[in-house]
Amino acid sequence: MGTETFDLIILGSGSGNSLVTPYWDDRRVAIVDSGVFGGTCLNRGCIPTKMFAYPAALSAVPAEAARLGVDLGFGGADWPEIRDRIFSRIDAISAGGLHYRDVELEHTTVIPEEARFTGAHQLTTSGGRVLEAEEIVVAAGSRPVLPEVPGIHRPQVHTSDTIMRVPRLPEKLVVLGGGFIAAEFASIFSGLGSSVVQVNRSPKLLRHHDETISARFTELAARQWDLRTGWTLSRIEDGRGGWVSVHLDGPAGATQQIDADAVLIAHGRVPNTDRLDASAAGLDVQDDGRLSVDEYQRLLSGGQPVAGLWSLGDISSPHQLKHVANHDQRIVAHNLEHPDDLRANTLGPVPAAVFSRPQIAAAGLTEEQAAAEYGRDRISVKVQDYGDVAYGWAMEDTTGICKLIADRQTGQLLGAHLMGHEAPNLIQSLVQAMSFGVDAHSMARGQYWIHPALSEVVENALLGLDVPDSGWL
């Protein structure tokens, strides 16, 4: 079998798939991916999880309505109907994308195999095909982390890759982890009717978020499902009736056992760099496993960019977020097509959301980070309750908050952290202000805010900051 030569090789069919623009119509392109076409977000990540999160959130409506004098009921969830509705749509999109790239486009070839570097511009697939190209983009993503404990590969043990396709709603689910994946799935399955036990080693959930958000969410999670902190997984054994026994180690030598019919391992994700043999191409790899790139998304070797080698998404970004991967892709696409006019990846603060109950959104620095970077005396912090604005009164909201951090000297927003109803939507105006340098007072007074919309919680938080008056009345 001879060497196959392409103009562009893309490792990964997620955001990397969008690199195939009309610019490449008269060139040969290969997309190499051994997984399901479309990548993690479409098939196993953000899209299906949110399609589960929304119906799960509806299960909380009866309790909210009861506080307002409205009698609603929750009769249960039809798991197969929900699951099949979601994946019948997603699987069709994935299949359609594969057919379009591999069959309809004459210049594009999809190779459903793993590939590793065997030279700076050469790849060898698991099937023995040798591929070469002047331009190679590594967009191979990440995968769930599995702890090395006995019983981890039992069929009842799942990751985010598999838990959404289980044949029936688990009667009892153990969720191991305290990050956003664990929070979302605990919310989903408890909302749909499973008995959920969440186990976390550290005392607080979402520990990478602002301390106020982390502490409040941990408290609210414990009200909604069985939360056990300070425990670590030691092993998983067979139990009765097809269930498993989850064994945990705690403080001072304490142990406990939880019997469940399903287990979700949500210990984060790791870049797929270790599957690429990056050393064969001389590529720099960071301590956390990410490929090193420069500001133009070029891969590095010995700290210097390698001509024709690029990367995007989870495998090289510290932000495992689809919107970040998509922006990386736009940068790489431009730079591939305009080598004499390279654009740097300089976008502003990265926002992120957790579609849990309640929802959470964040952008910029936490209070702790801002104090460390600017000094405690230079920052102003305001925590505004949802319940202090008119729409919050209408909702009888007692838990939602908007927390803002700003520079006292300039009025520039440094961080925004929301928890509550529609937090991922409410934060967008704050992301816009941080990205375009609009100071807090100008944002609050330089435009109308609809009364009595929930967005007034953002307005009031801005006005509560101790920052310079910009001159707006």
Side-chain angles (χ1 to χ4, degrees), residues 351-398:
V354 184
F355 290 81
S356 50
R357 292 195 317 275
Q359 294 182 345
I360 294 167
L365 303 178
T366 66
E367 181 180 351
E368 296 80 5
Q369 290 168 341
E373 183 171 339
Y374 288 82
R376 175 63 63 180
D377 292 340
R378 185 169 166 177
I379 64 169
S380 176
V381 179
K382 173 62 178 179
V383 177
Q384 184 71 50
D385 291 339
Y386 275 34
D388 287 341
V389 300
Y391 202 87
W393 303 349
M395 298 170 62
E396 294 288 345
D397 190 285
T398 60

Side-chain angles (χ1 to χ4, degrees), residues 290-312:
R290 287 181 291 123
L291 291 171
S292 295
V293 293
D294 68 4
E295 67 269 30
Y296 303 108
Q297 298 298 134
R298 296 178 297 189
L299 285 166
L300 302 178
S301 177
Q304 298 300 313
V306 182
L309 296 188
W310 314 79
S311 186
L312 62 89

Side-chain angles (χ1 to χ4, degrees), residues 272-340:
N272 286 322
T273 311
D274 58 330
R275 297 179 174 179
L276 297 177
D277 198 0
S279 61
L283 300 178
D284 295 346
V285 179
Q286 301 191 45
D287 292 341
D288 61 3
R290 287 181 291 123
L291 291 171
S292 295
V293 293
D294 68 4
E295 67 269 30
Y296 303 108
Q297 298 298 134
R298 296 178 297 189
L299 285 166
L300 302 178
S301 177
Q304 298 300 313
V306 182
L309 296 188
W310 314 79
S311 186
L312 62 89
D314 289 5
I315 202 161
S316 54
S317 173
H319 307 286
Q320 295 179 343
L321 297 165
K322 178 63 170 175
H323 46 277
V324 172
N326 284 347
H327 180 67
D328 289 353
Q329 173 268 316
R330 291 190 289 272
I331 294 293
V332 173
H334 173 88
N335 291 342
L336 282 168
E337 298 174 20
H338 304 88
D340 296 326

